[in-house]
Amino acid sequence: MAFETSCDETSVAVIRDGVVVANGVASQVRLHAEYGGVVPELATREHLRNLPVVAAAALETAGLHPSDIDAVAATLGPGLPQALMIGLRSAQALAFSLGRPFLGVHHHEAHLYSPWIAGEPPRADFGAFEPNVSLIASGGHTMLVHVEGELRHRVLGATLDDAAGECFDKVAKLLGLSYPGGPLVDRLAAEGDPGAFEFPRPMLRDPGHDFSFSGLKTSVRYFLERNPGIASDPQRLRDLCASVQSSIVDVLVGKLVGAARALGVRCVTASGGVTCNRGFRSQLARTASLAGLAVRLAQPSLCTDNAAMVGVLAERRFLRGCSTPIDEEIRPGWALGEVQSHAAA
Ligand code: KG4
Ligand code: ZN
């Protein structure tokens, strides 16, 4: 049984032999919408309120009693400290009371394996695993990781400022759209002209693997100052969404495919809320196919934060005999690069 409460999703999953038999998610997106971003105190209160309900529902869906659980996992970090605490302490209390092992998981490491969970019900497909370059793009993070083997990975680069999702959300706000703006931009962009306006593609030609999105947001702000009222015209708004989305997607796809080529890797994978974006998914499929690369995308329900990916990873570790001390603490600023040493410790 796995718990994920690192940000604004309260999620509990039950995994049996690699199959996701339950994956309940209580999203707080609507609650935070009126504040234009995640409010940590509200997130904590909601996790506390929702976690028992989501956990009971997950057990019911799985047809299990708590005593049937072999091990309990939770996200240790990175994330909002108080939010992480709710999931971690709940998981530890359950593991302790059942006398079962506890496993602490790195949130981004779980994201790396979510593209390998597929089907209905979702099932871990590690038999098909190939070394890959993985993009994690969400509201809080944007990074490229070389996944050399199962549980073996190396961070190649990350954003130097805003995350890709943050850029979608901030641009959407400038355009007068509500939070979170990413899905709205995606919807409007589908009926817009991506060539209507020219915005920068920051660091796309840079040979390194880092990203930067704050300049793109600033250039949209200057454009709107020079063209007041343009976003009130429905078709111009669609064109603006399509043009900005095209810049972000060009950078994400270009960097992901470029890194795979530079490393001689034959597969690219992606997860995180931004990778739900339809423009991203179709452009990645086209570009990767031209480059002779296989693509594995997390299915949309597993792109955003969920406990299924935490549970699938924890089960792999559990089967290798790993566990985490029952009194382990949250790790709000935990870097993915530190995971191996943590696992070995
Ligand atoms: O992974 P996620 O649910 O949560 C974290 O940030 O951890 O990602 C949420 C982010 C938000 O910034 C949201 O605007 C963006 O992902 N997002 C999208 C789309 N769906 C979610 N961005 C672009 N297109 C989408 N379809
Ligand atoms: Zn995430």
Side-chain angles (χ1 to χ4, degrees), residues 4 6-7 9 78 107-108 111 136-141 271-273 303-306 309:
E4 155 64 44
S6 63
C7 191
E9 254 90 32
H107 180 79
H108 296 143
H111 267 298
I136 302 174
S138 68
H141 299 274
S271 65
C303 272
T304 48
D305 289 346
N306 64 87
M309 65 185 187

PDB file of all heavy atoms in Angstrom, residues 4 6-7 9 78 107-108 111 136-141 271-273 303-306 309, ligand 2:
ATOM      1  N   GLU A   4       0.897   8.985  -1.219  1.00  0.00           N
ATOM      2  CA  GLU A   4       1.578  10.114  -1.882  1.00  0.00           C
ATOM      3  C   GLU A   4       0.847  11.401  -1.493  1.00  0.00           C
ATOM      4  O   GLU A   4      -0.333  11.573  -1.826  1.00  0.00           O
ATOM      5  CB  GLU A   4       1.563   9.890  -3.408  1.00  0.00           C
ATOM      6  CG  GLU A   4       1.666  11.125  -4.283  1.00  0.00           C
ATOM      7  CD  GLU A   4       2.973  11.903  -4.156  1.00  0.00           C
ATOM      8  OE1 GLU A   4       4.040  11.262  -4.134  1.00  0.00           O
ATOM      9  OE2 GLU A   4       2.911  13.139  -4.064  1.00  0.00           O
ATOM     10  N   SER A   6       2.834  14.656  -1.562  1.00  0.00           N
ATOM     11  CA  SER A   6       3.929  15.631  -1.591  1.00  0.00           C
ATOM     12  C   SER A   6       3.485  17.040  -1.968  1.00  0.00           C
ATOM     13  O   SER A   6       4.149  18.004  -1.635  1.00  0.00           O
ATOM     14  CB  SER A   6       5.025  15.163  -2.553  1.00  0.00           C
ATOM     15  OG  SER A   6       4.526  15.090  -3.866  1.00  0.00           O
ATOM     16  N   CYS A   7       2.341  17.159  -2.650  1.00  0.00           N
ATOM     17  CA  CYS A   7       1.902  18.508  -3.058  1.00  0.00           C
ATOM     18  C   CYS A   7       0.399  18.660  -2.829  1.00  0.00           C
ATOM     19  O   CYS A   7      -0.046  18.705  -1.684  1.00  0.00           O
ATOM     20  CB  CYS A   7       2.311  18.766  -4.500  1.00  0.00           C
ATOM     21  SG  CYS A   7       2.096  20.471  -4.995  1.00  0.00           S
ATOM     22  N   GLU A   9      -2.126  16.586  -4.224  1.00  0.00           N
ATOM     23  CA  GLU A   9      -2.934  15.408  -4.510  1.00  0.00           C
ATOM     24  C   GLU A   9      -2.794  14.443  -3.339  1.00  0.00           C
ATOM     25  O   GLU A   9      -1.677  14.123  -2.954  1.00  0.00           O
ATOM     26  CB  GLU A   9      -2.456  14.694  -5.781  1.00  0.00           C
ATOM     27  CG  GLU A   9      -3.360  14.873  -6.979  1.00  0.00           C
ATOM     28  CD  GLU A   9      -2.988  16.074  -7.816  1.00  0.00           C
ATOM     29  OE1 GLU A   9      -1.799  16.404  -7.880  1.00  0.00           O
ATOM     30  OE2 GLU A   9      -3.898  16.685  -8.384  1.00  0.00           O
ATOM     31  N   PRO A  78      10.996  14.926  -2.790  1.00  0.00           N
ATOM     32  CA  PRO A  78      10.835  16.293  -2.313  1.00  0.00           C
ATOM     33  C   PRO A  78       9.361  16.709  -2.337  1.00  0.00           C
ATOM     34  O   PRO A  78       8.545  16.029  -2.946  1.00  0.00           O
ATOM     35  CB  PRO A  78      11.656  17.102  -3.321  1.00  0.00           C
ATOM     36  CG  PRO A  78      11.594  16.301  -4.577  1.00  0.00           C
ATOM     37  CD  PRO A  78      11.539  14.867  -4.154  1.00  0.00           C
ATOM     38  N   HIS A 107      10.034  11.029  -4.794  1.00  0.00           N
ATOM     39  CA  HIS A 107       8.923  11.340  -5.697  1.00  0.00           C
ATOM     40  C   HIS A 107       9.345  11.308  -7.179  1.00  0.00           C
ATOM     41  O   HIS A 107       8.611  10.773  -8.027  1.00  0.00           O
ATOM     42  CB  HIS A 107       8.395  12.727  -5.329  1.00  0.00           C
ATOM     43  CG  HIS A 107       7.248  13.183  -6.159  1.00  0.00           C
ATOM     44  ND1 HIS A 107       5.962  12.741  -5.946  1.00  0.00           N
ATOM     45  CD2 HIS A 107       7.187  14.026  -7.219  1.00  0.00           C
ATOM     46  CE1 HIS A 107       5.169  13.303  -6.839  1.00  0.00           C
ATOM     47  NE2 HIS A 107       5.878  14.087  -7.620  1.00  0.00           N
ATOM     48  N   HIS A 108      10.504  11.835  -7.492  1.00  0.00           N
ATOM     49  CA  HIS A 108      10.923  11.860  -8.901  1.00  0.00           C
ATOM     50  C   HIS A 108      11.378  10.500  -9.386  1.00  0.00           C
ATOM     51  O   HIS A 108      11.219  10.175 -10.559  1.00  0.00           O
ATOM     52  CB  HIS A 108      12.021  12.909  -9.117  1.00  0.00           C
ATOM     53  CG  HIS A 108      11.535  14.291  -8.845  1.00  0.00           C
ATOM     54  ND1 HIS A 108      12.288  15.255  -8.256  1.00  0.00           N
ATOM     55  CD2 HIS A 108      10.311  14.838  -9.060  1.00  0.00           C
ATOM     56  CE1 HIS A 108      11.560  16.348  -8.135  1.00  0.00           C
ATOM     57  NE2 HIS A 108      10.367  16.119  -8.600  1.00  0.00           N
ATOM     58  N   HIS A 111       8.336   8.945 -10.514  1.00  0.00           N
ATOM     59  CA  HIS A 111       7.940   9.467 -11.832  1.00  0.00           C
ATOM     60  C   HIS A 111       8.693   8.746 -12.956  1.00  0.00           C
ATOM     61  O   HIS A 111       8.136   8.479 -14.011  1.00  0.00           O
ATOM     62  CB  HIS A 111       8.233  10.962 -11.939  1.00  0.00           C
ATOM     63  CG  HIS A 111       7.084  11.849 -11.555  1.00  0.00           C
ATOM     64  ND1 HIS A 111       5.887  11.848 -12.223  1.00  0.00           N
ATOM     65  CD2 HIS A 111       6.954  12.775 -10.579  1.00  0.00           C
ATOM     66  CE1 HIS A 111       5.073  12.733 -11.680  1.00  0.00           C
ATOM     67  NE2 HIS A 111       5.697  13.320 -10.667  1.00  0.00           N
ATOM     68  N   ILE A 136      10.834  14.723 -16.767  1.00  0.00           N
ATOM     69  CA  ILE A 136       9.795  14.950 -15.758  1.00  0.00           C
ATOM     70  C   ILE A 136       9.456  16.436 -15.849  1.00  0.00           C
ATOM     71  O   ILE A 136      10.323  17.287 -15.645  1.00  0.00           O
ATOM     72  CB  ILE A 136      10.285  14.614 -14.334  1.00  0.00           C
ATOM     73  CG1 ILE A 136      10.751  13.160 -14.252  1.00  0.00           C
ATOM     74  CG2 ILE A 136       9.173  14.873 -13.319  1.00  0.00           C
ATOM     75  CD1 ILE A 136      11.394  12.795 -12.912  1.00  0.00           C
ATOM     76  N   ALA A 137       8.220  16.743 -16.207  1.00  0.00           N
ATOM     77  CA  ALA A 137       7.810  18.144 -16.359  1.00  0.00           C
ATOM     78  C   ALA A 137       6.494  18.366 -15.640  1.00  0.00           C
ATOM     79  O   ALA A 137       5.460  17.827 -16.044  1.00  0.00           O
ATOM     80  CB  ALA A 137       7.681  18.497 -17.847  1.00  0.00           C
ATOM     81  N   SER A 138       6.563  19.125 -14.543  1.00  0.00           N
ATOM     82  CA  SER A 138       5.343  19.376 -13.760  1.00  0.00           C
ATOM     83  C   SER A 138       5.301  20.844 -13.366  1.00  0.00           C
ATOM     84  O   SER A 138       6.068  21.659 -13.886  1.00  0.00           O
ATOM     85  CB  SER A 138       5.347  18.476 -12.525  1.00  0.00           C
ATOM     86  OG  SER A 138       6.375  18.878 -11.657  1.00  0.00           O
ATOM     87  N   GLY A 139       4.423  21.171 -12.411  1.00  0.00           N
ATOM     88  CA  GLY A 139       4.314  22.564 -11.969  1.00  0.00           C
ATOM     89  C   GLY A 139       5.523  22.986 -11.147  1.00  0.00           C
ATOM     90  O   GLY A 139       5.861  24.168 -11.086  1.00  0.00           O
ATOM     91  N   GLY A 140       6.179  22.025 -10.516  1.00  0.00           N
ATOM     92  CA  GLY A 140       7.300  22.358  -9.636  1.00  0.00           C
ATOM     93  C   GLY A 140       8.663  21.969 -10.180  1.00  0.00           C
ATOM     94  O   GLY A 140       9.679  22.451  -9.691  1.00  0.00           O
ATOM     95  N   HIS A 141       8.698  21.083 -11.187  1.00  0.00           N
ATOM     96  CA  HIS A 141       9.989  20.553 -11.645  1.00  0.00           C
ATOM     97  C   HIS A 141      10.030  20.366 -13.153  1.00  0.00           C
ATOM     98  O   HIS A 141       9.012  20.068 -13.776  1.00  0.00           O
ATOM     99  CB  HIS A 141      10.274  19.195 -10.979  1.00  0.00           C
ATOM    100  CG  HIS A 141      10.354  19.298  -9.494  1.00  0.00           C
ATOM    101  ND1 HIS A 141      11.499  19.634  -8.824  1.00  0.00           N
ATOM    102  CD2 HIS A 141       9.387  19.164  -8.543  1.00  0.00           C
ATOM    103  CE1 HIS A 141      11.259  19.692  -7.528  1.00  0.00           C
ATOM    104  NE2 HIS A 141       9.977  19.411  -7.326  1.00  0.00           N
ATOM    105  N   SER A 271       6.907  11.980 -18.020  1.00  0.00           N
ATOM    106  CA  SER A 271       5.797  11.997 -17.051  1.00  0.00           C
ATOM    107  C   SER A 271       5.744  13.371 -16.391  1.00  0.00           C
ATOM    108  O   SER A 271       6.612  14.204 -16.632  1.00  0.00           O
ATOM    109  CB  SER A 271       6.002  10.908 -15.995  1.00  0.00           C
ATOM    110  OG  SER A 271       7.147  11.199 -15.233  1.00  0.00           O
ATOM    111  N   GLY A 272       4.741  13.579 -15.530  1.00  0.00           N
ATOM    112  CA  GLY A 272       4.517  14.895 -14.917  1.00  0.00           C
ATOM    113  C   GLY A 272       3.334  15.555 -15.616  1.00  0.00           C
ATOM    114  O   GLY A 272       3.083  15.283 -16.801  1.00  0.00           O
ATOM    115  N   GLY A 273       2.640  16.424 -14.892  1.00  0.00           N
ATOM    116  CA  GLY A 273       1.400  17.023 -15.397  1.00  0.00           C
ATOM    117  C   GLY A 273       1.518  17.621 -16.798  1.00  0.00           C
ATOM    118  O   GLY A 273       0.626  17.452 -17.629  1.00  0.00           O
ATOM    119  N   CYS A 303       0.314  10.585 -15.243  1.00  0.00           N
ATOM    120  CA  CYS A 303       1.244  11.703 -15.480  1.00  0.00           C
ATOM    121  C   CYS A 303       1.290  12.592 -14.257  1.00  0.00           C
ATOM    122  O   CYS A 303       2.350  13.017 -13.810  1.00  0.00           O
ATOM    123  CB  CYS A 303       0.759  12.558 -16.655  1.00  0.00           C
ATOM    124  SG  CYS A 303       1.340  11.977 -18.245  1.00  0.00           S
ATOM    125  N   THR A 304       0.098  12.906 -13.736  1.00  0.00           N
ATOM    126  CA  THR A 304       0.032  13.774 -12.564  1.00  0.00           C
ATOM    127  C   THR A 304       0.344  12.937 -11.321  1.00  0.00           C
ATOM    128  O   THR A 304       0.478  11.712 -11.409  1.00  0.00           O
ATOM    129  CB  THR A 304      -1.364  14.412 -12.471  1.00  0.00           C
ATOM    130  OG1 THR A 304      -2.325  13.379 -12.646  1.00  0.00           O
ATOM    131  CG2 THR A 304      -1.575  15.442 -13.558  1.00  0.00           C
ATOM    132  N   ASP A 305       0.460  13.613 -10.177  1.00  0.00           N
ATOM    133  CA  ASP A 305       0.919  12.903  -8.984  1.00  0.00           C
ATOM    134  C   ASP A 305      -0.064  11.810  -8.557  1.00  0.00           C
ATOM    135  O   ASP A 305      -1.276  12.028  -8.533  1.00  0.00           O
ATOM    136  CB  ASP A 305       1.147  13.913  -7.856  1.00  0.00           C
ATOM    137  CG  ASP A 305       2.368  14.758  -8.151  1.00  0.00           C
ATOM    138  OD1 ASP A 305       3.140  14.381  -9.053  1.00  0.00           O
ATOM    139  OD2 ASP A 305       2.543  15.783  -7.476  1.00  0.00           O
ATOM    140  N   ASN A 306       0.493  10.655  -8.231  1.00  0.00           N
ATOM    141  CA  ASN A 306      -0.332   9.502  -7.868  1.00  0.00           C
ATOM    142  C   ASN A 306       0.488   8.537  -7.019  1.00  0.00           C
ATOM    143  O   ASN A 306       1.717   8.514  -7.116  1.00  0.00           O
ATOM    144  CB  ASN A 306      -0.819   8.810  -9.151  1.00  0.00           C
ATOM    145  CG  ASN A 306       0.340   8.243  -9.945  1.00  0.00           C
ATOM    146  OD1 ASN A 306       0.766   7.120  -9.703  1.00  0.00           O
ATOM    147  ND2 ASN A 306       0.898   9.022 -10.870  1.00  0.00           N
ATOM    148  N   MET A 309       2.519   5.028  -8.831  1.00  0.00           N
ATOM    149  CA  MET A 309       3.942   4.988  -9.221  1.00  0.00           C
ATOM    150  C   MET A 309       4.834   4.801  -7.996  1.00  0.00           C
ATOM    151  O   MET A 309       5.873   4.138  -8.066  1.00  0.00           O
ATOM    152  CB  MET A 309       4.320   6.255 -10.012  1.00  0.00           C
ATOM    153  CG  MET A 309       4.240   7.548  -9.230  1.00  0.00           C
ATOM    154  SD  MET A 309       4.573   8.980 -10.303  1.00  0.00           S
ATOM    155  CE  MET A 309       4.606  10.295  -9.066  1.00  0.00           C
TER     156      MET A 309
HETATM  157 ZN    ZN B   2       5.149  14.931  -9.413  1.00  0.00          ZN
END
